[in-house]
């Protein structure tokens, strides 16, 4: 049926043409096949093919790239596979189509370690063997050998008789990440992988190109130590936007879906604008930065699901509970209070080689729970923070549930009142509410608990309530335990266990912590807080409120 002419639907009258769901391009949620995405032009595709052209032009034999899970690694590898298979016509609408790439066909060995069993090294060895045999059979060759290393080498050599071979390895570190709670198995799996991947070292004469992806870099050093010519592009500014969506890509490729969100909310009586939708999208799913350059990208998985569901939700976070992170927190609870704003050297951030020694902050960066906020060239260091609302909120909810064993909903219900108490410096009410939540912490968690545990619970309760904090802030003569920046006041907490509030407050006074904020034009509250292992909560507190000029305004204490 023909539609009646409507000039506004054609873009006149200052009104955008609202497409129906049938007219809009589909969202490629969960699709890892570039052939399915591009073949009929039905799906949105953010064109990353010029990055592939750049990789091939650079001519390095082996590349490594780390990105968080569900960030587009598998789709990128599948795109590499189709390009290097010479499937030119598939990319007719992509930038690489008009380039000078030669589109020669190369045999492909594609190994996806997310599909190979890894509960123990024996299963891992068997899975690799079966995968190699399947690849050989699909290429009409047979392979033999007493080890996977030998089979891999012979497969490469046989396929190279057709043309130089391309090696694509996805999620190389899955056998390690999955077993991090069993260090011995993780170490044994790493040795299996190390031996297997050493095959690439002596195969350059048979290879066109190899590309390896994973979530982490912590095992990269020892795993690929034999590959002296491995080029790690994980933190290379030239590839900062190789995965994830940029702000420009969001605006140009998802405009129809953004308009659909506006229309739906309008029909629900929730009037909104394009600017508001973009702001919501940005605060929830943008903020990932992987290099020194100030290039930020959106989480592609969450962005696609947001466009589909048309509401915010922790889509990426809830696809994989970070149990290995919670395990790390339980071992060293004091480390979580320093996550926000933590500065870390480049070598520590990206080149830790021991599973059992990897720090919480590098691990959270590599797995996508922290991101780069700024870079200090003088120190060659990075300052880290949570990338966006999705990760920040969901992570602290997980800490409440799995670390402190408190129902996040109970904290959420009190969050507004807790925040209001702190803003208004209603400290007795604030401490009372905190202690109510401490009473909900499981009894067994306090067994042998040190000061770091109490600080971690306190920090988690604040963050889960929407109270932004910074810990371990350095001054010229010490480190402040915890700082909350409110609209009209800066609150400094000095925290102790089984001492006194006087001792805590005296330490803050001696070290003159308030002087760091004396020129900010806000009041400064310095609080001494003492946790009691007997009552298992905040036993005592005292505070001093200073004027913006630095003079003492009044003392604060219970009663």
């Amino acid at each position: 049926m023909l539609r009646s002419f409507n000039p506004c639907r054609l873009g006149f009258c200052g009104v955008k043409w609202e497409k129906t769901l049938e007219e809009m391009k589909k969202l490629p949620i969960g699709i890892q096949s570039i052939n399915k995405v591009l073949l009929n032009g039905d799906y949105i595709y953010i064109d990353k093919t010029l990055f592939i052209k750049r990789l091939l032009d650079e001519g390095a034999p082996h590349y490594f790239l780390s990105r968080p899970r569900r960030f587009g690694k598998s789709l990128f590898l599948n795109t590499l596979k189709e390009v290097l298979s010479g499937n030119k016509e598939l990319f007719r609408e992509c930038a690489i189509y008009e380039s000078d790439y030669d589109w020669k066909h190369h045999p492909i060995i594609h190994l996806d370690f997310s599909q190979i069993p890894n509960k123990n090294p024996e299963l891992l060895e068997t899975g690799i063997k079966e995968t190699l045999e399947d690849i050989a059979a699909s290429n009409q060759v047979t392979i033999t050998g007493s080890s996977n290393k030998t089979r891999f080498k012979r497969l490469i050599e046989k396929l190279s008789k057709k043309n130089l071979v391309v090696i694509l390895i996805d999620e190389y570190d899955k056998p390690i990440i999955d077993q991090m709670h069993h260090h011995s198995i993780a170490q044994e799996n790493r040795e299996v992988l190390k031996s297997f991947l050493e095959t690439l070292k002596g195969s350059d004469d048979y290879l066109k190109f190899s590309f390896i992806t994973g979530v982490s870099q912590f095992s990269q050093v020892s795993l690929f130590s034999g590959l002296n010519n491995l080029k790690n592009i994980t933190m290379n500014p030239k590839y900062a936007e190789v995965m994830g969506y940029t702000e420009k890509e969001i605006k140009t490729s998802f405009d129809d879906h953004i308009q659909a969100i506006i229309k739906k909310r309008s029909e629900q009586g929730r009037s909104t604008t394009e600017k508001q939708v973009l702001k919501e999208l940005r605060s929830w799913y943008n903020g990932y930065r992987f290099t020194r350059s100030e290039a930020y990208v959106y989480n592609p998985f969450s962005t696609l699901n947001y466009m589909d569901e048309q509401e915010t939700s922790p889509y990426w976070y809830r696809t994989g509970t970070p149990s290995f992170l919670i395990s790390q927190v339980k071992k060293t609870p004091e480390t979580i209070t320093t996550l926000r704003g933590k500065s870390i050297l480049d070598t520590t951030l990206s080149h830790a080689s021991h599973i059992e020694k990897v720090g919480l902050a590098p691990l959270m960066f590599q797995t996508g729970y922290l991101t780069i906020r700024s870079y200090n060239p003088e120190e060659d260091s990075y300052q880290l923070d949570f990338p966006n609302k999705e990760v920040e909120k969901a992570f602290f909810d997980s800490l409440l549930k799995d670390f402190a064993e408190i129902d996040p909903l109970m904290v959420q219900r009190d969050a507004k009142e807790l925040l209001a108490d702190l803003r208004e410096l209603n400290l007795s009410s604030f401490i009372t509410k905190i202690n109510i939540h401490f009473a909900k912490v499981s009894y067994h968690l306090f067994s042998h608990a040190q000061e770091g545990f109490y600080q971690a619970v306190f920090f988690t309760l604040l963050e889960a309530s929407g109270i932004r904090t910074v810990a371990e802030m350095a001054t010229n003569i010490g480190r402040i335990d915890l700082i909350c920046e409110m609209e009209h006041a800066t609150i400094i907490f000095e925290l102790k266990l089984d001492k006194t509030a006087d001792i805590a407050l005296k330490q803050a006074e001696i070290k003159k912590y308030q002087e760091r904020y004396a020129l900010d034009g806000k009041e400064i509250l310095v609080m001494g807080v003492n946790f009691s292992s007997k009552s298992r909560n905040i036993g005592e507190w005292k505070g001093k409120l200073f004027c913006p000029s630095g003079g003492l305004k009044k003392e604060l204490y219970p009663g």
Side-chain angles (χ1 to χ4, degrees), residues 10 29 37 39 64 132 144 155 244 289 306 360 385 397 477 480 486 498 537 542:
L10 296 178
I29 299 173
V37 172
L39 189 59
F64 172 77
L132 292 176
T144 59
L155 178 60
R289 174 179 168 185
Y306 171 83
L360 182 62
D385 203 347
D397 282 349
I477 56 174
I480 303 170
M486 313 302 286
D498 289 337
N537 60 14
K542 283 188 178 182

Side-chain angles (χ1 to χ4, degrees), residues 445-465:
L445 295 177
F446 288 102
S447 178
H448 307 297
Q450 302 297 312
E451 184 174 284
F453 174 80
Y454 288 87
Q455 291 184 5
V457 173
F458 183 57
F459 167 77
T460 302
L461 288 170
L462 292 179
E463 288 283 353
S465 301

Side-chain angles (χ1 to χ4, degrees), residues 321-337:
T321 304
S323 55
F324 62 94
L325 294 181
I326 303 301
S327 295
Q328 290 288 105
V329 170
K330 287 180 178 179
K331 293 175 187 175
T332 54
E334 67 278 2
T335 59
I336 70 168
T337 61

Side-chain angles (χ1 to χ4, degrees), residues 153-166:
K153 181 175 177 62
R154 289 175 179 172
L155 178 60
I156 293 170
E157 291 174 355
K158 286 193 175 185
L159 294 183
S160 70
K161 293 178 181 179
K162 302 175 183 178
N163 202 350
L164 292 177
V165 176
V166 171

Side-chain angles (χ1 to χ4, degrees), residues 191-442:
E191 291 306 308
V192 170
L193 292 171
K194 181 179 179 182
S195 174
F196 178 69
L197 294 172
E198 282 176 350
T199 307
L200 298 179
K201 182 180 180 182
S203 301
D204 282 352
D205 290 344
Y206 308 102
L207 297 177
K208 162 72 175 177
F209 174 88
S210 70
F211 196 91
I212 302 169
T213 78
V215 168
S216 69
Q217 299 180 69
F218 65 83
S219 47
Q220 183 250 331
V221 175
S222 59
L223 266 177
F224 307 133
S225 57
L227 291 175
N228 297 325
N229 49 2
L230 176 72
K231 187 168 183 178
N232 185 350
I233 61 171
T234 298
M235 300 181 73
N236 187 327
K238 289 191 297 183
Y239 296 97
E241 299 171 358
V242 67
M243 291 173 193
Y245 302 152
T246 66
E247 181 91 7
K248 182 179 179 181
E249 289 166 344
I250 292 286
K251 291 179 178 178
T252 57
S253 297
F254 293 97
D255 182 63
D256 291 339
H257 289 273
I258 291 171
Q259 298 309 314
I261 293 172
I262 295 170
K263 180 180 179 181
K264 179 182 177 181
R265 294 184 183 179
S266 176
E267 291 171 349
Q268 296 173 339
R270 300 160 57 200
S271 180
T272 190
T273 64
E274 180 176 327
K275 184 177 180 180
Q276 288 171 330
V277 172
L278 288 171
K279 182 180 179 181
E280 180 178 77
L281 184 63
R282 189 181 301 118
S283 65
W284 270 82
Y285 307 120
N286 194 15
Y288 290 90
R289 174 179 168 185
F290 299 106
T291 73
R292 299 176 184 182
S293 68
E294 294 185 14
Y296 291 90
V297 294
Y298 288 72
N299 183 313
F301 181 81
S302 289
T303 298
L304 291 174
N305 278 276
Y306 171 83
M307 297 296 178
D308 184 46
E309 299 289 340
Q310 301 183 334
E311 298 291 348
T312 58
S313 187
Y315 300 109
W316 173 81
Y317 193 94
R318 69 188 182 197
T319 60
T321 304
S323 55
F324 62 94
L325 294 181
I326 303 301
S327 295
Q328 290 288 105
V329 170
K330 287 180 178 179
K331 293 175 187 175
T332 54
E334 67 278 2
T335 59
I336 70 168
T337 61
T338 62
L339 292 178
R340 189 189 297 282
K342 184 175 181 62
S343 292
I344 190 166
L345 292 173
D346 174 73
T347 51
T348 305
L349 187 63
S350 59
H351 300 295
S353 59
H354 300 289
I355 295 172
E356 67 279 2
K357 294 181 180 179
V358 64
L360 182 62
L363 186 59
M364 288 185 65
F365 167 71
Q366 292 166 23
T367 50
Y369 297 95
L370 291 177
T371 197
I372 294 170
R373 188 61 63 220
S374 63
Y375 173 68
N376 184 334
E378 294 181 1
E379 295 180 348
D380 195 20
S381 67
Y382 297 91
Q383 188 180 65
L384 305 181
D385 203 347
F386 296 94
N388 49 47
K389 282 186 179 180
E390 173 186 23
V391 177
E392 183 176 355
K393 182 180 185 307
F395 178 70
F396 283 106
D397 282 349
S398 289
L399 281 182
L400 285 174
K401 180 175 177 291
D402 300 317
F403 166 62
E405 299 185 12
I406 299 173
D407 183 355
L409 181 59
M410 303 303 291
V411 177
Q412 183 179 317
R413 287 173 176 170
D414 289 340
K416 288 184 179 179
E417 291 184 12
L418 202 64
L419 180 58
D421 283 342
L422 204 55
R423 280 175 175 163
E424 297 165 13
L425 302 184
N426 189 354
L427 301 181
S428 291
S429 179
F430 169 76
I431 296 295
T432 296
K433 289 183 177 68
I434 290 290
N435 278 344
I436 288 172
H437 289 306
F438 260 97
K440 298 169 187 172
V441 178
S442 296

Side-chain angles (χ1 to χ4, degrees), residues 427 430-431 458 480-482 491-497 499-509 513 525-531 538-546 556-558:
L427 301 181
F430 169 76
I431 296 295
F458 183 57
I480 303 170
D481 282 343
L482 208 62
I491 303 172
I492 297 172
F493 291 99
E494 182 65 25
L495 308 172
K496 298 296 181 186
L497 174 64
K499 292 185 180 176
T500 66
D502 282 324
I503 290 175
L505 189 58
K506 189 67 175 178
Q507 179 173 321
E509 287 183 298
Y513 288 154
L525 171 64
V526 181
M527 283 192 69
V529 174
N530 182 61
F531 298 106
I538 295 175
E540 275 189 299
W541 67 270
K542 283 188 178 182
K544 288 190 176 182
L545 183 64
F546 295 87
L556 301 166
Y557 42 81

